[in-house]
Amino acid sequence: MNEKASVSKELEAKHAKILEGLLKLPENRECADCRSKAPRWASVNLGVFICLQCSGIHRSLGVHISKVRSTTLDTWLPEQVAFMQSMGNERSNYYWEAELPPNFDKRGNQTFIRAKYEEKRWVSKNRAYPTPELGGMSIYCDSIVNGPKSYVPKKIRNFSLEEEILTKHATPIVAKARGNSFDLKDHTIASAPPRGPSLTKESETSTTNTNRSLDLVQCVQDANNDCSTVIPAPWATFD
């Protein structure tokens, strides 16, 4: 069965809205190869948005290198839309154009594109091939259920794998340390002292409530002990 036939008209309309939103991102407003404005085509396996002229060159590379789809004319599968959401021109070019000289002349589009994707001429050996961001499919599902959201432009470069791991583990620590003092020498988090009369009053109230709770527990324990040592009445014995 053709996978495209399983895409309903309703789902296809939602895909169109998601793609329209992706094309409005600053990094996707220009062709990933020639930088011409308002691209309307995409390479679904490279994760880039391209113009009409460059899409023809991508087709000539073969589907083993680039699979071209129109953002407005073709039917998209869910995994293709999810992949485009997690990639985009900036993330992809971070790998393919890592060592591209500044102000490089791209007027010979076909020569440039073949050198970029076939020969991998400007790929850095120190950068791994970009993989989809974690949660790409969950972002897609959220877009389908709740509609595409307005994206916040990224003003910084994409993180390396090491930076992503560091950020993942450091963020909970930073969030936990907000409002507290963090001692780097012994790696312990100390609560900040209360400031102002209102906080002092709340602290005293909390201490009083705690003492009352402890007194209540002690009272119950004492009552249990007293019950265990009560001498039974004479009539309660069967002597």
Side-chain angles (χ1 to χ4, degrees):
M1 179 179 179
N2 187 0
E3 293 181 349
K4 294 182 180 180
S6 62
V7 179
S8 64
K9 293 295 183 181
E10 181 182 1
L11 183 58
E12 190 172 355
K14 292 182 177 180
H15 285 173
K17 289 184 178 180
I18 295 175
L19 293 172
E20 183 181 355
L22 293 176
L23 288 170
K24 291 180 180 179
L25 295 178
E27 59 266 29
N28 296 330
R29 291 177 183 174
E30 296 181 350
C31 175
D33 296 328
C34 70
R35 302 298 188 268
S36 61
K37 303 294 183 180
R40 286 295 179 266
W41 296 77
S43 173
V44 296
N45 62 314
L46 295 176
V48 295
F49 292 98
I50 52 180
C51 66
L52 176 62
Q53 182 178 356
C54 291
S55 69
I57 301 175
H58 274 253
R59 290 184 186 276
S60 67
L61 299 177
V63 294
H64 62 291
I65 295 180
S66 182
K67 298 178 181 179
V68 180
R69 294 289 183 276
S70 169
T71 60
T72 56
L73 302 176
D74 291 326
T75 299
W76 286 61
L77 301 177
E79 57 268 23
Q80 294 173 340
V81 178
F83 182 72
M84 296 301 297
Q85 283 184 299
S86 63
M87 293 293 288
N89 292 359
E90 183 180 18
R91 186 176 177 87
S92 181
N93 281 340
Y94 180 70
Y95 171 78
W96 293 104
E97 297 183 0
E99 298 184 356
L100 183 69
N103 302 321
F104 186 85
D105 186 8
K106 302 178 182 179
R107 286 178 295 182
N109 286 3
Q110 183 168 358
T111 303
F112 169 75
I113 291 175
R114 289 191 176 276
K116 180 178 177 179
Y117 298 109
E118 276 188 343
E119 303 174 15
K120 301 180 180 180
R121 185 178 300 178
W122 300 287
V123 169
S124 174
K125 296 180 180 179
N126 299 326
R127 296 181 185 178
Y129 185 79
T131 56
E133 294 178 348
L134 296 177
M137 186 55 72
S138 63
I139 296 175
Y140 165 80
C141 294
D142 181 69
S143 301
I144 292 298
V145 175
N146 302 318
K149 299 179 180 180
S150 57
Y151 295 86
V152 178
K154 297 180 180 178
K155 295 184 179 181
I156 58 175
R157 62 174 177 80
N158 295 319
F159 286 159
S160 64
L161 178 60
E162 293 80 4
E163 289 170 330
E164 289 180 355
I165 295 175
L166 177 61
T167 303
K168 178 181 178 181
H169 291 283
T171 301
I173 297 176
V174 174
K176 188 176 181 180
R178 285 182 176 177
N180 300 321
S181 59
F182 187 74
D183 191 352
L184 295 177
K185 293 183 179 179
D186 55 3
H187 301 284
T188 59
I189 298 177
S191 299
R195 293 177 295 179
S198 60
L199 293 179
T200 305
K201 185 176 180 180
E202 291 178 0
S203 178
E204 293 175 354
T205 303
S206 177
T207 304
T208 302
N209 294 336
T210 303
N211 293 335
R212 288 178 180 175
S213 299
L214 293 176
D215 293 341
L216 179 61
V217 172
Q218 186 64 38
C219 181
V220 173
Q221 292 178 347
D222 293 342
N224 291 333
N225 292 335
D226 292 341
C227 290
S228 63
T229 57
V230 171
I231 300 175
W235 60 267
T237 62
F238 295 92
D239 293 340

